[in-house]
Amino acid sequence: MSDTIQEGQVVSMEYSLQVDGKVVDSSDGDEPLEFLVGFDNIIEGLEDEMLSMKVGESKKVIVSPEDGYGEYDDEAFMDVPRSEFPADMPVKPGLEMEVTDEEGNPMYARIEAVKGDQITLNFNHPLAGKELHFSVKVLSIRDATEEELEHGHAHTNGGHHH
Ligand code: ZN
C-alpha cells in the first residue's frame, strides 16, 4: 500500500497562492483546505503535482495558465443591454457575477465597462493568463467516505457544504 496521495482520498493541506509576486489566496489564519482527489476540486495542474506527496511534505508548484485558469482570451467579451440585468443591481466596472450559458452551465463574468445602456462583460477568470505559484503542505490524507465519493467533494469536519 502506498502512502502517497491517491485518487479517491481526502487531502488536508495548508496552501498559499502567489501571482505576480503577491499572495492572492492562502489558508493562513484559516482552516486548512480539504479536497477530494480526482474530482476537479482543485486546479488540475496543482493536483497532478501533488499526487506523489506524503503527509508532512511541502512543495512549491508552478502552474502554467494552460493548466490553471486558462489563457487570457481577447474574444471573451460580450455587450449586454442594461435591461438584461436586475434593476437593483449596482452595475459598475469590476462587479463580479455568475451567469449561465446557453446550456445552463454557470460561468464567471465581471463587468468590464459601462457605456450608457451598454454593459460589457468580461468572461476571463481574474487569474486567466497568469502563472500560479502555489506553496503547499500536506497535513493529512484519509480515504473518502462513500458519501463524499457520491457527492464528488470532501465533507470537512463531518459538515456538509453545498
Ligand atoms: Zn456533499
Side-chain angles (χ1 to χ4, degrees), residues 147 151 153-155 160-162:
E147 196 185 37
H151 290 191
H153 54 232
H155 291 162
H160 212 170
H161 48 95
H162 279 184

Side-chain angles (χ1 to χ4, degrees), residues 5-135:
I5 294 172
Q6 311 284 322
E7 281 199 13
Q9 291 184 317
V10 173
V11 174
S12 172
M13 68 166 175
E14 285 173 357
Y15 74 98
S16 79
L17 168 58
Q18 283 195 29
V19 173
D20 298 334
K22 280 192 201 122
V23 176
V24 297
D25 195 13
S26 131
S27 61
D28 240 17
D30 213 341
E31 295 285 312
L33 178 74
E34 280 202 319
F35 70 97
L36 177 59
V37 181
F39 289 80
D40 294 330
N41 288 181
I42 63 167
I43 288 282
E44 192 185 343
L46 176 60
E47 187 172 277
D48 288 348
E49 286 294 321
M50 290 185 69
L51 287 178
S52 59
M53 293 179 75
K54 298 174 181 179
V55 172
E57 204 177 327
S58 299
K59 198 173 187 179
K60 288 193 192 308
V61 178
I62 298 175
V63 177
S64 67
E66 198 189 347
D67 293 326
Y69 291 100
E71 300 287 355
Y72 195 87
D73 183 359
D74 290 326
E75 309 280 303
F77 291 85
M78 198 202 299
D79 288 332
V80 181
R82 174 69 181 90
S83 56
E84 300 265 319
F85 295 87
D88 59 354
M89 193 184 224
V91 292
K92 57 172 195 251
L95 183 74
E96 301 187 322
M97 67 195 78
E98 195 174 275
V99 295
T100 43
D101 69 10
E102 283 153 11
E103 278 101 51
N105 302 308
M107 283 176 74
Y108 166 91
R110 71 178 178 278
I111 295 179
E112 188 69 21
V114 179
K115 281 185 215 110
D117 265 359
Q118 197 85 299
I119 290 165
T120 306
L121 290 180
N122 180 351
F123 294 97
N124 283 291
H125 188 278
L127 296 177
K130 302 286 189 185
E131 198 170 70
L132 311 173
H133 293 246
F134 287 98
S135 187

Side-chain angles (χ1 to χ4, degrees), residues 126-148:
L127 296 177
K130 302 286 189 185
E131 198 170 70
L132 311 173
H133 293 246
F134 287 98
S135 187
V136 298
K137 181 178 183 187
V138 176
L139 301 179
S140 68
I141 304 171
R142 65 169 168 85
D143 290 331
T145 64
E146 298 255 320
E147 196 185 37
E148 285 174 323

